[in-house]
Amino acid sequence: MIESKELGLNVDGRALLANFSMTFEPGKIYALIGHNGSGKSTLLKLLAQQQKPTQGRILLNDQAIESWSPKKFAQQVAYLPQQTPATDSLSGRDLVSFGRYPWHGLLGRLNKQDHQYIDDAMALTNTKDYADRLVDTLSGGERQRLWLAMLLAQRSQYVLLDEPLSALDIAHQVDMLNLIKKLSQELNLGVIIVIHDINMAARFCDHIVALHSGKMIASGSVDELFTPQTLEDIYGVNMHITDHPAGYPVAMPY
């Protein structure tokens, strides 16, 4: 599991994150919600070792993350930033194969088992049809599926996703979240996802963490967070809550 203890990051005297303590377990989807600048992406970068905290610590499987080698850490935690790297001249299969680099290094040769993991990841994400196509020619939803396949090929215990839905229309957002939920359950993946839509979080996630001005102001199950007062504390507006016929709550401002 991933455990943060009084985690914080200060930059130029400003606290981007403060006193964040929480445990993230495998097999669950955690939604990070809150206004822009609330600390969601900062938290994800700290958990992914993309930045170093100025206070507190993070444990991975009861071991301080700074004691893990970059290679061993990447074998346990996969991270997809909000701005993905360029994919010039890369085929879909080339991109997915990058997920095996934490196990072999950039110059290592892929073996039969690696190719099987790549095939499995593309099958799970329904991206085999994109194997020989250039990534840059694909739609946003198709590219996001390939990036997810790359993370699955990494065979890590946790997947950290920073706003993976931001460039997708509503149909592709639902499609992507359905896929993430299915994979989390089938592969016992711990997923931590930055998401703006509280209703999408309620529909697909197991646990919601709300941040405001770098501090955690609420954390719990969907039922625990979906109260008018808690949602007003998070978003600063009055929210009406109703039940969707599919069995999850829906919040609307009024």
Side-chain angles (χ1 to χ4, degrees):
M1 62 184 177
I2 297 176
E3 185 178 5
S4 65
K5 296 188 175 184
E6 298 181 351
L7 196 61
L9 178 66
N10 295 303
V11 177
D12 296 329
R14 177 171 170 249
L16 302 184
L17 190 74
N19 299 317
F20 185 91
S21 297
M22 187 167 172
T23 298
F24 299 93
E25 300 175 3
K28 291 185 177 181
I29 303 177
Y30 297 84
L32 304 182
I33 66 168
H35 292 295
N36 289 336
S38 61
K40 305 183 301 296
S41 294
T42 297
L43 173 60
L44 212 64
K45 289 175 182 176
L46 293 175
L47 296 177
Q49 283 210 86
Q50 299 299 304
Q51 287 183 301
K52 291 186 177 181
T54 52
Q55 69 181 56
R57 58 185 183 140
I58 304 170
L59 305 178
L60 173 61
N61 297 335
D62 297 321
Q63 184 178 337
I65 62 168
E66 60 269 19
S67 67
W68 290 74
S69 70
K71 182 176 179 180
K72 290 294 184 182
F73 183 80
Q75 291 171 7
Q76 297 294 320
V77 179
Y79 168 67
L80 186 64
Q82 189 176 149
Q83 299 296 327
T84 53
T87 54
D88 298 344
S89 302
L90 283 179
S91 70
R93 189 175 181 84
D94 289 338
L95 177 58
V96 179
S97 70
F98 287 165
R100 300 308 300 158
Y101 285 168
W103 300 87
H104 298 288
L106 290 175
L107 301 179
R109 296 187 62 181
L110 301 181
N111 58 33
K112 184 178 180 180
Q113 184 68 76
D114 294 314
H115 287 295
Q116 185 61 57
Y117 287 151
I118 293 166
D119 289 340
D120 290 347
M122 298 189 77
L124 284 167
T125 53
N126 195 27
T127 52
K128 284 191 171 183
D129 289 346
Y130 315 142
D132 298 320
R133 293 181 59 184
L134 291 177
V135 176
D136 289 349
T137 67
L138 299 173
S139 71
E142 292 166 344
R143 288 196 299 272
Q144 286 296 74
R145 278 182 169 266
L146 280 172
W147 282 108
L148 185 57
M150 184 199 75
L151 300 187
L152 294 178
Q154 198 165 322
R155 290 276 164 157
S156 59
Q157 187 178 25
Y158 286 90
V159 172
L160 280 51
L161 305 169
D162 194 353
E163 295 193 37
L165 311 179
S166 59
L168 305 182
D169 59 41
I170 186 67
H172 283 102
Q173 288 182 26
V174 172
D175 186 46
M176 179 63 67
L177 286 171
N178 269 317
L179 176 59
I180 290 170
K181 186 169 186 176
K182 175 176 179 286
L183 295 173
S184 175
Q185 293 171 344
E186 292 183 358
L187 303 178
N188 196 38
L189 279 177
V191 179
I192 308 173
I193 179 172
V194 174
I195 187 170
H196 281 287
D197 191 326
I198 184 66
N199 294 317
M200 288 290 193
R203 181 175 175 180
F204 293 101
C205 300
D206 301 299
H207 193 105
I208 298 176
V209 180
L211 296 165
H212 192 287
S213 302
K215 296 181 180 180
M216 180 167 65
I217 60 171
S219 175
S221 67
V222 173
D223 290 340
E224 290 172 327
L225 261 71
F226 262 67
T227 68
Q229 185 58 58
T230 301
L231 293 179
E232 184 179 351
D233 290 343
I234 296 170
Y235 292 106
V237 295
N238 293 324
M239 304 284 273
H240 173 71
I241 301 171
T242 187
D243 291 325
H244 191 278
Y248 56 89
V250 175
M252 297 174 289
Y254 67 90

